[in-house]
C-alpha cells in the first residue's frame, strides 16, 4: 500500500492500518517499506532469493527479532547492510543548470529554482506540496514549447533559462508507452523496423518475396491471425 508515498504519508497509512486492526480486523500486507515492516505485529520474511532460489519462509517472528535474523531483510533492518548511493557527481557553481524563475502556478509561491544539468535531481515533498505542478505543469510544458513540440500551456512563471544547453526534452511518466497493447520497447524506439529488414533479406524470405512489412506482428498478413498480434485472446463473457 505504500508505493510512491512520502514518509509522512506512510505514517498515516500505518495509523490507518493499526485502526483497522484495533477494530478487530486481520490485516495481511505485502510490503517492502521498513516503516510498514516495523509497524507489524508479526513479520514473515520469504526468500532466501528470487524465483528458483526462493520459496521458503526464512524468518517468522516480531519485527524486532527480524533485525537480528540472518536473512537479507534482517541485515538491512538491523543496519548491517546499507543501500549503496552509487557514484555522486557533485554540483558546484560552474555546473550548467536550467533555471525556472518566478514560478506561481497553483500553490507555488513565486520562487526561482534551478536544476543542475547532467545530474540526477529529485523533487520530493508531502502530498499536495506542489511537485507535479512544478514538474508536470510548469517545467515540462515550458521545455516542450521551447523544442516546438505539442504541449498544453505552461503553468505561470516568468522565465526558463539555460535551455540552450539541451538538445531535447522527454517526459517519462507512468502512462503506457504506446496507444496499443501491442507496442513494446523495441517497436516504440523503432528498433523493430531494423529487425524486420533483417528478416526480409533472409534467404527464405527472399525466395517467398516477403517484404519487411510481412514481419510486423501488429498488422497485415504477418501477424498471428488468431490473436491479431496481441499475444492473447480476449473472450467476451456476455451471455
Ligand atoms: N488543476 C488544478 N487546479 C487548481 N489547483 C490545483 C490543480 N492541481 C493541483 N492543484 C493544487 O496545487 C497544489 C499542489 O498540488 P500538486 O498536485 O502539484 O502536489 P504534489 O506535490 O504533486 O502532490 P502528490 O504527492 O499528491 O502528487 C495542491 O494544493 C493542489 O490542490
Ligand atoms: Mg503529484
Amino acid at each position: 500500500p505504500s508505493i510512491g508515498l512520502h514518509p509522512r504519508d506512510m505514517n498515516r497509512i500505518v495509523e490507518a492500518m493499526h485502526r483497522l486492526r484495533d477494530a478487530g480486523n486481520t490485516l495481511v500486507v505485502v510490503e517492502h517499506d521498513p516503516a510498514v515492516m516495523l509497524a507489524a505485529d508479526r513479520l514473515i520474511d520469504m526468500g532466501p532469493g528470487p524465483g528458483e532460489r526462493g520459496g521458503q519462509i526464512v524468518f517468522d517472528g516480531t519485527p524486532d527479532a527480524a533485525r537480528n535474523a540472518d536473512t537479507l531483510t534482517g541485515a538491512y533492518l538491523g543496519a548491517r547492510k546499507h543501500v549503496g548511493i552509487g557514484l555522486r557527481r557533485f554540483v558546484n557553481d560552474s555546473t550548467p543548470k536550467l533555471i525556472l524563475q518566478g514560478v506561481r502556478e497553483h500553490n507555488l509561491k513565486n520562487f526561482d529554482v534551478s536544476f543542475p544539468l547532467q545530474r540526477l535531481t529529485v523533487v520530493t515533498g508531502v502530498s499536495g506540496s506542489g511537485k507535479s505542478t512544478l514538474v508536470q505543469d510548469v517545467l515540462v510544458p515550458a521545455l516542450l514549447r521551447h523544442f516546438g513540440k505539442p504541449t498544453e500551456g505552461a503553468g505561470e512563471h516568468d522565465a526558463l533559462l539555460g535551455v540552450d544547453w539541451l538538445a531535447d526534452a522527454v517526459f517519462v511518466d507512468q502512462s503506457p508507452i504506446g496507444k496499443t497493447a501491442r507496442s513494446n520497447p523495441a517497436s516504440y524506439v523503432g528498433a523493430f523496423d531494423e529487425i524486420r529488414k533483417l528478416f526480409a533479406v533472409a534467404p527464405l524470405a527472399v525466395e517467398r518475396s516477403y517484404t519487411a512489412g510481412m514481419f510486423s506482428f501488429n498488422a497485415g498478413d504477418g501477424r498471428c491471425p488468431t490473436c491479431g498480434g496481441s499475444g492473447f485472446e480476449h473472450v467476451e463473457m456476455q451471455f
Side-chain angles (χ1 to χ4, degrees), residues 166-177:
L166 302 180
D168 196 4
V170 179
F171 181 53
V172 181
D173 61 6
Q174 292 109 321
S175 54
I177 56 171

Side-chain angles (χ1 to χ4, degrees), residues 46-122:
M46 301 202 54
E52 278 295 302
R53 284 173 285 136
Q56 296 172 46
I57 290 175
V58 291
F59 174 84
D60 184 351
T62 64
D64 251 347
R67 292 179 201 265
N68 300 316
D70 185 21
T71 68
L72 262 185
T73 311
Y76 283 100
L77 284 182
R80 294 184 298 283
K81 266 183 183 284
H82 299 274
V83 178
I85 52 163
L87 180 65
R88 284 242 164 113
R89 305 186 68 192
F90 290 100
V91 176
N92 56 37
D93 288 344
S94 63
T95 309
K97 48 186 175 283
L98 199 60
I99 303 171
L100 266 178
Q101 292 182 326
V103 190
R104 295 183 299 281
E105 185 72 5
H106 297 154
N107 64 339
L108 302 182
K109 304 286 189 295
N110 195 9
F111 56 74
D112 300 344
V113 57
S114 69
F115 302 92
L117 298 176
Q118 296 156 16
R119 300 294 188 275
L120 172 64
T121 299
V122 172

